[in-house]
């Protein structure tokens, strides 16, 4: 019997862990292939691929982001392959299972919850006597009747075969995100999260985990994302894993979900001293800083301790942090969410993800939706439309904010410009992103694509429309950010370049004859006349750039400066910028 396990991923770079676990458990007894697609692949292309594999059974791993597209694929598959058995599993169909069996008549079976043993037993019965009433943890049809079998006990994780060592995965490892679990379960009870339903945490043997990670690194993996709900819940376990990964990373990057307010000081001290730059990334779910909200959704969180952890990690400069917020939680209105946003933004995360509450099947908040007057989408992703505290208009406004937050802050296209604007020209970061988001939509820009230059000209148009003060400083910082967005010397700029050839020649002579005026690092580059022409750009700025970047008062930035950006001068091939003060006439001071 031939079995194809499939999932529709969000992106091509992601690998599905769930279907690999199923294959690892059952491949000794069945011919199993993996077939991964994305939600953007045309449905007919997916159906054609699966059809040509001639399977007897097709299993789909289902989540809120792929269930609707998966259903489209299933409906066509059953028309062209009516004899094929369709099996669904995953978090989206493990709750309200009866609903899915009734809604989609082309589903033959649903595997509920942890799937390895259940799926294997189901395949044995499909191939054999068809005694599905012996298969615990499965839903199936018996004529017109729906049968829901009781669940089965949790597996002993150390009896599961490794899902990370398939030979066919090796050629793609360096190009894809490898999802990896060291544990299953969650110790917390957050009422908006499916993890709250599964009680307790179980761990895989740590030596086996290390062995699998070493194998992946040796085979070329470049990014391993741990899917553990709280990687640091056991201090000793987390510490041993951090030490192991630091000793063996070989250029691989590791991403973890951590709970910041329980991170022990000794772990933080160790990471600050030993973590190599860029090897670790932490994802931290803050969600809300509104205490009544956190208490209601059973989210235990000490924001003071969380802030200390995030700040210490940031000060080490070695670990990027991605902080998550959820708009629409109970008791959180537009104004309290503004405070939540500004509280978290003040911590300076490299990324701030703004998500909107989703009423996931099986969660406490979905069960209590009427209590808080929630309206939400009927189909996945079940995103809220309004509540007793947040109107639909509020949500639309926050969507505008989210759009520019992603394009500007999280994309890191204008770090110097934004850090100046947020704390010098706007009341708060929230107000900047909200005001810019409103302007963005009013211009109709959300309907079209944008080149890098467009993002700069759009920001300039917004700032000028609101008559932002000190635009000379803002535009100077925008020019710096624009230059830093290029790997090679840019061929075009989005502003009118005013420096003439004589001025340029004068600045180049100065850079050659007095490189120490720029910095010791510039002296060490030892650039000659030809290299300066080929690999650098220069711009005169009507303020002291060095004073602005040092965070000195705006009054201290009066004067002029020369900005010089050099390209292709380091192993990372990242641009390096230098600045020196100019006299009012334009000569170096």
């Amino acid at each position: 019997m031939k079995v194809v396990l499939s999932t529709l991923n969000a992106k091509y770079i992601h690998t599905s862990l769930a279907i690999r676990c199923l294959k690892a458990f059952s491949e000794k007894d069945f011919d199993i292939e993996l077939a991964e697609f994305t939600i953007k692949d045309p449905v007919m292309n997916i159906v054609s691929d699966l059809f040509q594999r001639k399977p007897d059974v097709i299993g789909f791993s289902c989540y809120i982001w792929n269930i609707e597209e998966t259903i489209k694929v299933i409906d066509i598959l059953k028309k062209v392959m009516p004899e094929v058995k369709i099996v669904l599993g995953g978090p989206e169909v493990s709750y309200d299972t009866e609903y899915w069996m009734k809604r989609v008549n082309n589903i033959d079976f649903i595997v509920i919850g942890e799937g390895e043993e259940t799926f294997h037993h189901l395949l044995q019965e499909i191939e054999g006597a068809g005694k599905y009433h012996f298969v615990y943890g499965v839903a199936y049809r018996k004529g017109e009747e729906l049968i829901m079998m009781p669940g089965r006990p949790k597996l002993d994780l150390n009896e599961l075969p490794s899902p990370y060592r398939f030979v066919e995965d090796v050629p793609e490892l360096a190009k894809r995100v490898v999802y990896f679990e060291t544990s299953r379960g969650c110790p917390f009870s957050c009422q908006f999260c499916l993890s709250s339903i599964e009680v307790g945490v179980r761990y895989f043997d740590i030596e086996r985990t290390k062995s699998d990670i070493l194998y992946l690194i040796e085979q070329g993996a470049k990014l391993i994302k741990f899917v553990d709900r709280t990687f640091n819940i056991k201090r000793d376990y987390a510490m041993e894993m951090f030490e192991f990964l630091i000793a063996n990373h070989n250029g691989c990057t590791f991403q973890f979900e951590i709970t910041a307010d329980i991170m022990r000081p000794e772990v933080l001290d160790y990471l600050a001293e030993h973590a190599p730059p860029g090897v670790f990334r932490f994802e931290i779910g803050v969600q809300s800083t509104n205490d009544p909200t956190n208490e209601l959704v059973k989210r235990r969180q000490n924001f003071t301790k969380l802030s200390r952890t995030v700040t210490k990690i940031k000060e080490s400069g070695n670990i990027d942090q991605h902080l998550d917020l959820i708009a629409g939680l109970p008791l959180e209105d537009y104004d309290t969410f503004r405070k939540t946003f500004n509280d978290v933004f003040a911590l300076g995360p490299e990324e701030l993800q703004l998500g909107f509450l989703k009423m996931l099947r099986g969660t406490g908040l979905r069960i209590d939706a009427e209590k808080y007057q929630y309206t939400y989408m009927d189909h996945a992703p079940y995103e809220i439309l309004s509540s007793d505290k947040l109107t639909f208009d509020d949500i639309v406004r926050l969507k505008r904010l989210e759009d520019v937050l992603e394009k500007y802050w999280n994309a890191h296209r204008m770090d110097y410009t934004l850090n100046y604007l947020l704390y010098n020209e706007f009341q708060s970061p929230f107000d900047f992103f909200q005001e810019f988001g409103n302007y963005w939509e009013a211009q109709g820009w959300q309907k079209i694509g944008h080149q890098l230059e467009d993002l700069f000209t759009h920001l300039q148009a917004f700032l000028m429309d609101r008559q932002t003060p000190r635009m000379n400083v803002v535009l100077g910082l925008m020019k710096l950010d624009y230059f830093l967005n290029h790997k090679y010397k840019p061929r075009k700029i989005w502003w009118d370049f005013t420096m003439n050839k004589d001025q340029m020649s004068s600045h180049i002579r100065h850079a050659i004859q007095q490189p120490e005026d720029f910095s010791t690092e510039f002296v060490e580059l030892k650039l000659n006349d030809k290299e300066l022409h080929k690999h650098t750009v220069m711009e005169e700025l009507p303020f002291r750039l060095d004073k602005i970047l040092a965070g000195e008062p705006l009054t201290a930035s009066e004067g002029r400066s020369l900005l010089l950006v050099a390209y292709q001068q380091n192993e990372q091939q990242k641009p390096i910028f230098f600045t020196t003060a100019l006299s009012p006439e334009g000569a170096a001071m």
Side-chain angles (χ1 to χ4, degrees), residues 359-381:
M359 307 300 282
L360 303 178
R361 294 179 182 276
T363 60
L365 275 188
R366 181 164 177 136
I367 294 169
D368 289 340
E370 289 187 13
K371 183 176 180 181
Y372 305 105
Q373 299 176 34
Y374 279 117
T375 62
Y376 55 93
M377 299 174 182
D378 290 334
H379 298 302

Side-chain angles (χ1 to χ4, degrees), residues 34 128 242 291 314 350 383 386 441 449 512 534:
L34 301 181
F242 287 144
D291 289 336
K314 184 173 181 63
E350 282 69 29
E383 196 165 282
S386 65
E441 184 168 291
I512 294 172
K534 183 178 180 180

Side-chain angles (χ1 to χ4, degrees), residues 182 203 206 210 230-246 256-258 262-264 267 270-271 280 282:
T182 71
Y203 282 84
I206 195 167
K210 291 177 181 178
T230 303
F231 188 83
N232 61 311
I233 192 65
K234 284 177 65 176
R235 188 199 69 83
D236 293 343
Y237 189 96
M239 190 69 169
E240 185 173 344
M241 286 301 301
F242 287 144
E243 291 172 346
F244 169 78
L245 296 173
I246 288 172
F256 315 87
E257 292 186 32
I258 70 162
I262 65 170
M263 186 74 89
R264 298 288 291 271
V267 177
Y270 175 82
L271 292 174
F280 290 162
F282 286 169

Side-chain angles (χ1 to χ4, degrees), residues 101-120:
M101 294 292 284
K102 288 181 177 178
R103 178 184 164 190
V104 187
N105 292 325
N106 289 320
I107 300 172
D108 295 296
F109 305 93
I110 290 180
V111 171
I112 303 167
E114 203 165 36
E116 287 94 341
E117 194 171 43
T118 301
F119 184 66
H120 182 263

Side-chain angles (χ1 to χ4, degrees), residues 311-510:
T311 300
K312 183 152 188 173
I313 292 171
K314 184 173 181 63
E315 288 173 349
S316 77
N318 296 331
I319 300 173
D320 283 352
Q321 297 179 96
H322 172 122
L323 271 54
D324 292 326
L325 299 179
I326 297 179
L329 291 169
L331 308 183
E332 185 93 278
D333 60 19
Y334 183 84
D335 291 331
T336 62
F337 186 76
R338 176 181 181 273
K339 180 181 183 300
T340 282
F341 184 98
N342 286 328
D343 286 343
V344 177
F345 200 94
L347 300 177
E350 282 69 29
E351 290 184 20
L352 180 57
Q353 184 75 41
L354 169 53
F356 292 81
L357 179 63
K358 296 171 178 60
M359 307 300 282
L360 303 178
R361 294 179 182 276
T363 60
L365 275 188
R366 181 164 177 136
I367 294 169
D368 289 340
E370 289 187 13
K371 183 176 180 181
Y372 305 105
Q373 299 176 34
Y374 279 117
T375 62
Y376 55 93
M377 299 174 182
D378 290 334
H379 298 302
Y382 314 115
E383 196 165 282
I384 67 159
L385 304 173
S386 65
S387 73
D388 59 350
K389 295 294 183 182
L390 209 62
T391 67
F392 182 66
D393 183 61
D394 292 332
I395 290 174
V396 170
R397 283 196 288 168
L398 292 174
K399 288 279 186 182
R400 297 175 194 145
L401 180 153
E402 178 202 22
D403 188 24
V404 294
L405 177 71
E406 286 295 318
K407 287 182 171 68
Y408 285 82
W409 181 262
N410 289 343
H412 292 287
R413 293 186 175 102
M414 301 188 196
D415 287 353
Y416 289 107
T417 304
L418 292 188
N419 277 308
Y420 171 80
L421 285 171
L422 297 177
Y423 300 106
N424 291 282
E425 304 295 351
F426 287 82
Q427 187 175 352
S428 77
F430 182 94
D431 295 288
F432 165 77
F433 290 112
Q434 185 67 86
E435 192 177 333
F436 189 16
N438 294 344
Y439 182 85
W440 186 282
E441 184 168 291
Q443 304 306 308
W445 292 335
Q446 77 280 8
K447 302 174 184 177
I448 56 177
H450 305 279
Q451 301 294 325
L452 178 66
E453 293 81 3
D454 298 327
L455 296 174
F456 282 82
T457 56
H458 291 348
L459 178 59
Q460 181 182 11
F462 160 63
L463 295 172
M464 294 184 70
D465 181 77
R466 68 185 293 275
Q467 299 181 338
T468 303
R470 296 176 285 272
M471 278 301 295
N472 61 330
V473 173
V474 177
L475 289 175
L477 292 170
M478 290 176 70
K479 292 173 183 179
L480 168 60
D481 280 323
Y482 183 78
F483 286 142
L484 295 181
N485 269 274
H486 292 78
K487 183 177 178 180
Y488 299 95
K489 180 177 177 177
R491 296 183 177 181
K492 61 178 180 178
I493 56 178
W494 51 269
W495 64 92
D496 294 328
F497 187 67
T498 58
M499 195 186 306
N500 60 42
K501 289 184 178 180
D502 289 341
Q503 290 172 307
M504 180 70 74
S505 297
S506 174
H507 291 318
I508 287 177
R509 283 196 304 273
H510 172 220

Side-chain angles (χ1 to χ4, degrees), residues 105-150:
N105 292 325
N106 289 320
I107 300 172
D108 295 296
F109 305 93
I110 290 180
V111 171
I112 303 167
E114 203 165 36
E116 287 94 341
E117 194 171 43
T118 301
F119 184 66
H120 182 263
H121 191 178
L122 176 61
L123 291 181
Q124 289 176 319
E125 292 302 328
I126 291 174
E127 186 177 53
K131 296 181 178 180
Y132 305 124
H133 57 285
F134 288 151
V135 184
Y136 290 107
V138 73
Y140 67 97
R141 304 179 194 278
K142 185 178 181 181
E144 296 298 315
E145 185 181 4
L146 294 180
I147 307 296
M148 307 278 291
M149 294 299 295

